[in-house]
């Protein structure tokens, strides 16, 4: 049985997407604790939903 082959452009694009989403998740996670705003009580759980 021949092994599964993925298109190299698709492979690179998916790898980049994974990297970008990982960085975005970490940045949003940090942001959700570093908020100084009247809306903290609303923004904190909202950003929690976003990074999840
Ligand atoms: Fe939290």
């Amino acid at each position: 049985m021949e092994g599964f082959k993925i298109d190299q452009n698709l492979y690179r694009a998916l790898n980049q997407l994974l990297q970008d989403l990982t960085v975005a998740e970490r940045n949003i996670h940090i942001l959700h604790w570093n908020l100084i705003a009247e809306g903290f009580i609303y923004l904190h759980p909202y950003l929690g939903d976003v990074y999840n």
Side-chain angles (χ1 to χ4, degrees):
M1 185 173 148
E2 191 170 325
F4 178 75
K5 290 184 180 176
I6 188 169
D7 177 84
Q8 288 303 301
N9 287 329
L10 178 59
Y11 173 83
R12 279 191 286 273
L14 289 173
N15 212 25
Q16 186 65 57
L17 178 62
L18 177 61
Q19 292 174 44
D20 291 348
L21 288 174
T22 300
V23 171
E25 187 274 340
R26 291 304 303 148
N27 285 337
I28 296 168
H29 199 153
I30 292 166
L31 175 65
H32 105 284
W33 280 115
N34 287 338
L35 288 172
I36 299 173
E38 286 181 29
F40 178 88
I41 197 73
Y42 305 105
L43 291 172
H44 181 84
Y46 169 73
L47 291 172
D49 289 343
V50 171
Y51 73 69
N52 280 330

